[in-house]
């Protein structure tokens, strides 16, 4: 049975080089190793999403720590073959990673990834026993036009809701309003809670109340050490997907403390 978890995840995006990546992963793990009080591994998890190149090393660093995992920022939808420059889900799995982001807004906007493609990527991740962290979220004009619920609904319906219930239970959803990503403008705790409750409601309609209650939904977008506690204290916000603030061990640790 897959239960709802509380997760703080760090999306490092295209930052750092091997030395600084290694140092950050070690620093996060060593700090957390002294913090049994945080309850990692007991329904709480930390997941690091470094660039692909550093993933095997970050996996090795995290391996001995309970409740700390590593994942990829993306995966290709095909199993293998002539796709120069791409990385398959089986490759990610083979280095010991456990998760993959799917459909981050930067993938959607800069690399043209649409819902149909993201459904295939989700399938590839699930077939390789990776936990997909499926990202959704509206653009600023969509919120201003009061279309944000419809946009998120269609991303979930097309990208995820084709999954059978047994598979869907493995999915984590990250709500990341695009206007809040890297802008310093955070969704208010009320805006985050409202959307998370909406998402849980959709999952209840599509699957069941029990599936919805056990779904983990993360918030992302300018989440930092100062605002994490208020965001995470909402009943439907189960943690965060952190960009900029995950690149500094001290800030990231403070966010984990807010979980
Ligand atoms: P920031 O925390 O830098 O706004 O990025 C959020 C994000 O995109 C995480 O995936």
């Amino acid at each position: 049975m897959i239960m709802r978890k509380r997760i703080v995840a760090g999306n490092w995006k295209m930052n750092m080089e091997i030395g600084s990546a290694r140092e950050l992963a070690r620093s996060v793990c060593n700090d957390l190793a002294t913090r049994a009080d945080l309850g990692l591994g007991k329904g709480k998890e930390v997941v690091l999403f470094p660039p692909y190149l550093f993933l095997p090393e970050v996996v090795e660093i995290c391996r001995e720590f309970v409740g700390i995992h590593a994942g990829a920022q993306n995966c290709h939808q095909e199993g293998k073959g002539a796709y120069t420059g791409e990385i398959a889900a089986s490759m990610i799995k083979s280095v010991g990673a456990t998760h993959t982001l799917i459909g981050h807004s930067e993938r959607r906007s800069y690399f043209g990834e649409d819902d149909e493609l993201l459904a295939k990527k989700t399938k590839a991740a699930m077939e390789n026993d990776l936990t997909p962290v499926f990202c959704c979220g509206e653009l600023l004009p969509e919120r201003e036009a009061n279309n944000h619920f419809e946009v998120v609904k269609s991303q979930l319906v097309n990208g995820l809701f084709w999954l059978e219930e047994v598979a869907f239970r493995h999915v984590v959803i990250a709500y990341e309003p695009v206007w809040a990503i890297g802008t310093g403008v955070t969704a208010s705790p009320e805006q985050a809670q409202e959307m998370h409750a909406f998402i849980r409601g959709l999952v209840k309609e599509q699957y069941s109340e029990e599936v919805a209650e056990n779904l983990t939904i993360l918030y992302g977008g300018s989440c930092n050490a100062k605002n994490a506690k208020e965001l995470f204290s909402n009943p439907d916000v189960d943690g965060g997907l952190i960009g900029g603030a995950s690149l500094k061990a001290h800030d990231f640790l403070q966010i984990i403390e807010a979980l």
Side-chain angles (χ1 to χ4, degrees):
M1 170 94 162
I2 303 213
M3 309 282 286
R4 192 188 315 192
K5 289 185 177 140
R6 295 185 69 76
I7 298 175
V8 168
N11 175 8
W12 296 0
K13 307 192 181 183
M14 196 174 77
N15 289 296
M16 289 181 300
E17 294 174 358
I18 185 63
S20 47
R22 188 185 288 140
E23 201 177 313
L24 178 58
R26 281 195 186 139
S27 179
V28 168
C29 288
N30 290 333
D31 285 347
L32 290 175
T34 64
R35 298 296 305 274
D37 58 306
L38 296 176
L40 290 187
K42 297 176 193 139
K44 284 192 189 176
E45 284 179 3
V46 168
V47 190
L48 304 179
F49 291 95
Y52 283 136
L53 268 179
F54 312 144
L55 185 55
E57 186 139 0
V58 171
V59 166
E60 290 313 316
I61 292 169
C62 297
R63 195 182 291 285
E64 60 188 283
F65 297 95
V66 175
I68 313 178
H69 306 286
Q73 296 173 14
N74 178 31
C75 74
H76 196 264
Q77 65 277 18
E78 298 296 336
K80 63 175 180 166
Y83 301 100
T84 303
E86 289 293 334
I87 303 285
S90 60
M91 299 173 182
I92 296 166
K93 182 71 185 174
S94 74
V95 301
T98 48
H99 294 65
T100 181
L101 299 181
I102 303 276
H104 189 278
S105 78
E106 288 145 23
R107 301 294 319 168
R108 292 178 188 261
S109 61
Y110 304 145
F111 302 94
E113 297 192 359
D114 59 13
D115 293 338
E116 193 185 334
L117 177 66
L118 298 176
K120 290 182 184 155
K121 290 189 177 218
T122 303
K123 182 164 186 280
M126 310 254 9
E127 283 172 355
N128 287 281
D129 207 15
L130 292 170
T131 300
V133 178
F134 187 92
C135 305
C136 59
E138 79 285 356
L139 303 167
L140 184 58
E142 292 167 336
R143 179 164 279 264
E144 286 172 343
N146 211 23
N147 269 341
H148 44 298
F149 293 117
E150 275 315 301
V151 168
V152 167
K153 181 176 180 182
S154 95
Q155 290 170 340
L156 295 178
V157 167
N158 297 321
L160 277 186
F161 284 0
W162 56 274
L163 285 168
E164 300 281 344
E165 185 185 303
V166 305
F168 184 83
R169 285 175 184 277
H170 294 267
V171 170
V172 170
I173 291 177
Y175 168 59
E176 299 205 300
V178 180
W179 47 271
I181 296 179
T183 58
V185 181
T186 316
S188 68
E190 295 75 24
Q191 285 171 323
Q193 168 57 25
E194 186 184 35
M195 183 59 86
H196 284 224
F198 173 74
I199 293 170
R200 211 178 290 287
L202 292 176
V203 171
K204 179 178 165 184
E205 268 172 41
Q206 178 70 22
Y207 296 98
S208 73
E209 178 152 20
E210 186 264 314
V211 172
E213 280 309 310
N214 281 305
L215 171 68
T216 303
I217 311 176
L218 309 181
Y219 167 79
S222 297
C223 183
N224 58 38
K226 287 204 175 73
N227 58 31
K229 187 127 204 121
E230 220 186 335
L231 285 161
F232 298 170
S233 65
N234 288 288
D236 289 296
V237 179
D238 304 314
L241 178 54
I242 320 298
S246 73
L247 298 174
K248 293 195 189 111
H250 180 71
D251 290 21
F252 192 53
L253 191 70
Q254 283 187 294
I255 298 172
I256 297 165
E257 284 170 349
L259 196 58

